[in-house]
């Protein structure tokens, strides 16, 4: 009989439990597709006796995930413990170093150590796969490494944090304030243990770093992503954006330019009627632009037990079939050194500026923009409170340097009551 693929599962939280369920429920289907049985042989987690609603009695138990990774009766380790360093990295290195494939959902570890881990996998003749680390159930990495392998990719975009999209769309739909909706997102289990990773843009930026490396054949370069979170977006911005025909999304963009790869994760205004603009709730979306295919848009659940376990099992079945692809779609040694490019492309911006409501203040703002070479497209002043009035401006296209100069001039005005908000309007 064909040898089964024997799995060691490191981590039995939501995702690990989801993997156990699929392996148990779909055993005949998985065996048919992989050409061999897929079995879990051993598991490891922090708490042995917690009831997880699945039967683990047939599996060997290891308290130490690194000991699990070193067992000699396994072919593949699934790492779903999380964490950039610590046990997750030690387990992954131990598994690769002892000749086992690794499938991981760990975006933080891959964004930080992707190159080292990819090199280690190749040096040991095994596979390292991370589909579940990017946009949950959407097969985004496979789309790039397989289906779109014949394309030079020019741009990758994504709404890849469900918590942020939930907050932004719920605020718009209900008129509820940011803090209240964030609390709801935490209760519903969408947010990370520390929601700063979600709302600060870091979780989504890690995913963008992985997609960008895969799309452009470069080493992972998380540290050079321009990251802005959604914390300063308020209900008024969402409502005004809607009146102007836009919606606000935490949008990641990685774009190939003549000087390198530009990567940014920031709130953007996008046309309300666009596919990205219409994305509701915790759903994720990734968009790829290839020279031969044009634009490909994929959307689906970006987190949760079933979707994340689904992505893991896609990778496991590939490896069981003997399909061992380099982690980023080409050998690690051929990945180019990152050449980050500044976001120099021109764009229109939405500005919100809180001004003292007194004669001549608007003229001062207009002058500050004019002196910076920025032309105003639309301008409105809205509800006055306590002697101050928010002024909303949509600029014509301008470079980031000119915008920063204008924001500096405006902040320095005595009539400016708080740091101005600038949100890029993205052509999606
Ligand atoms: N907390 C993430 C999100 C899910 O809200 O999308 C896992 O990355």
């Amino acid at each position: 009989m064909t040898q089964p693929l024997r799995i060691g599962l490191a981590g039995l939280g939501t995702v690990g439990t989801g993997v156990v369920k699929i392996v148990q429920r779909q055993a005949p289907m998985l065996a048919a597709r992989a050409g061999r049985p897929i079995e879990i042989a051993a598991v490891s987690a922090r708490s042995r006796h917690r009831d997880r609603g699945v039967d683990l009695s047939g599996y060997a138990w290891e308290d130490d995930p690194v000991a699990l990774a070193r067992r000699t009766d396994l072919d593949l380790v699934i790492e779903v413990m999380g964490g950039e360093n610590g046990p997750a990295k030690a387990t992954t290195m131990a598994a690769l170093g002892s000749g086992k494939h690794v499938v991981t959902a760990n975006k933080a570890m891959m964004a930080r150590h992707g190159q080292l881990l990819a090199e280690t996998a190749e040096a040991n003749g095994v596979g390292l796969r991370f589909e579940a680390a990017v946009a949950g159930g959407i097969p985004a990495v496979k789309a790039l490494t397989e289906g779109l392998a014949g394309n030079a990719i020019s741009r990758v975009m994504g709404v890849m944090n469900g918590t942020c999209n939930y907050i932004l769309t719920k605020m718009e739909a209900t008129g509820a304030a940011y803090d209240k909706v964030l609390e709801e997102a935490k209760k519903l289990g969408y947010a990370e243990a520390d929601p700063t990773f979600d709302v600060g843009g870091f979780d989504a930026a890690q995913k963008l770093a992985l997609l960008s490396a895969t799309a452009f054949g470069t080493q992972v370069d998380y540290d050079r992503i321009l990251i802005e979170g959604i914390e300063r977006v308020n209900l008024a911005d969402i409502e005004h954006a809607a009146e102007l025909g836009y919606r606000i999304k935490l949008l990641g963009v990685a774009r190939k330019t003549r000087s390198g790869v530009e990567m940014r994760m920031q709130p953007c205004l996008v046309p309300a009627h666009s596919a990205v603009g219409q994305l509701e709730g915790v759903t994720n979306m990734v968009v790829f632009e290839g020279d031969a295919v044009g634009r490909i848009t994929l959307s689906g659940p970006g987190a949760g037990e079933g979707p994340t376990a689904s992505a893991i099992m896609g990778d496991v079945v590939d490896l069981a079939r003997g399909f061992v692809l380099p982690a980023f779609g080409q050998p690690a040694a051929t990945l180019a050194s990152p050449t980050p490019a500044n976001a120099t492309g021109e764009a229109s911006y939405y500005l919100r500026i809180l001004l003292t409501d007194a004669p001549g203040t608007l003229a001062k703002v207009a002058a500050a923009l004019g002196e910076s070479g920025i032309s105003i497209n639309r301008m409105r002043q809205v509800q006055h409170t306590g002697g101050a009035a928010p002024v909303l401006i949509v600029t014509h296209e301008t470079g980031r340097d000119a915008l920063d100069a204008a924001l500096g001039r405006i902040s320095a005005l005595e009539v400016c009551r708080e740091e101005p908000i600038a949100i890029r309007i993205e052509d999606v």
Side-chain angles (χ1 to χ4, degrees):
M1 186 183 126
T2 320
Q3 286 294 312
L5 178 93
R6 295 155 306 169
I7 297 172
L9 178 58
L12 283 168
T14 308
V15 180
T17 306
V19 168
V20 173
K21 287 180 188 167
I22 296 181
V23 171
Q24 293 182 348
R25 191 176 68 226
Q26 301 292 8
M29 178 193 81
L30 294 170
R33 289 183 177 166
R36 61 199 282 206
I38 292 179
E39 300 171 359
I40 295 172
V43 296
S44 176
R46 262 188 295 224
S47 149
R48 180 164 189 172
H49 298 293
R50 209 179 102 202
D51 180 10
R52 297 173 170 90
V54 286
D55 179 11
L56 303 173
S57 59
Y59 312 145
W61 178 272
E62 294 282 357
D63 287 322
D64 176 7
V66 175
L68 174 100
R70 293 204 178 111
R71 284 175 71 103
T72 52
D73 58 349
L74 304 177
D75 305 299
L76 181 151
V77 169
I78 297 176
E79 185 282 304
V80 282
M81 295 180 291
E84 184 177 311
N85 293 299
K89 185 179 171 214
T91 300
T92 302
M93 288 297 280
L96 297 173
S98 58
K100 299 176 189 73
H101 305 299
V102 171
V103 174
T104 180
N106 191 330
K107 55 201 172 261
M109 177 180 76
M110 287 303 298
R112 180 63 62 197
H113 306 295
Q115 183 67 19
L116 167 72
L117 297 174
E119 285 169 5
T120 307
E122 286 169 37
N124 288 281
V126 289
L128 166 68
R129 304 288 293 264
F130 59 89
E131 184 68 77
V134 181
I138 302 176
V141 178
K142 281 174 84 72
L144 281 174
T145 54
E146 297 174 49
L148 300 176
N151 286 262
I153 304 292
S154 52
R155 185 162 71 153
V156 172
M157 290 188 288
V159 173
M160 294 182 285
N161 184 271
T163 300
C164 288
N165 206 52
Y166 174 82
I167 290 173
L168 294 170
T169 51
K170 196 80 198 277
M171 283 170 75
E172 183 178 349
T174 64
Y178 172 86
D179 291 338
K180 183 166 174 274
V181 186
L182 173 59
E183 279 312 308
E184 277 173 33
K186 283 200 243 172
K187 281 198 198 111
L188 289 165
Y190 301 146
E192 298 293 296
D194 174 359
T196 314
F197 283 105
D198 296 296
V199 297
F202 307 108
D203 168 270
Q206 288 169 342
K207 298 167 184 167
L208 182 69
L210 297 175
L211 281 187
S212 177
T214 311
F216 302 119
T218 60
Q219 296 178 13
V220 191
D221 191 19
Y222 171 73
D223 287 333
R224 303 300 280 270
I225 300 179
L226 168 80
I227 304 174
E228 287 170 32
I230 63 163
E231 302 99 320
R232 292 183 68 210
V233 175
N234 71 18
L235 194 53
D237 295 320
I238 292 172
E239 288 170 354
H240 297 311
E243 284 164 22
L244 295 165
Y246 294 104
R247 293 180 106 185
I248 300 179
K249 300 287 167 194
L250 178 68
L251 186 71
V253 179
R255 197 171 64 90
K256 189 144 193 181
T257 71
R258 272 195 298 274
S259 54
V261 178
E262 167 191 330
M263 292 188 287
R264 43 196 165 78
M265 179 59 65
Q266 60 188 165
C268 290
L269 265 66
V270 298
H273 59 76
S274 63
V276 176
Q278 291 189 7
L279 195 67
E280 296 285 340
V282 288
T283 309
N284 281 198
M285 178 173 281
V286 291
V287 178
F288 302 122
E289 289 172 358
D291 60 345
V293 73
R295 177 180 286 208
I296 296 288
T297 304
L298 301 170
S299 67
E305 178 186 300
T308 312
S310 159
I312 286 174
M313 290 311 297
D315 285 343
V316 168
V317 170
D318 269 355
L319 291 163
R321 289 167 171 151
F323 180 47
V324 182
L325 197 66
F328 294 96
Q330 62 186 67
T334 68
L335 294 166
S337 299
T339 45
N342 291 329
T344 48
E346 303 230 317
S348 296
Y349 286 85
Y350 159 96
L351 309 179
R352 170 166 49 87
I353 307 162
L354 188 65
L355 294 174
T356 300
D357 195 6
T361 49
L362 271 182
K364 288 178 184 154
V365 170
L369 288 165
E371 282 159 23
S372 313
I374 297 178
S375 172
I376 296 170
N377 182 349
R378 286 192 260 182
M379 180 148 105
R380 284 185 63 192
Q381 182 173 307
V382 289
Q383 44 320 30
H384 301 224
T385 42
V391 170
L392 311 171
I393 294 174
V394 174
T395 72
H396 281 292
E397 289 204 340
T398 177
R400 184 74 217 191
D401 289 348
L403 182 78
D404 288 341
L407 293 174
R409 286 190 169 105
I410 293 168
S411 314
L413 294 173
E414 238 175 73
V415 292
C416 179
R417 303 276 284 260
E418 62 181 33
E419 204 57 32
I421 300 287
I423 307 180
R424 187 181 167 109
I425 301 178
E426 190 72 28
D427 171 25
V428 296

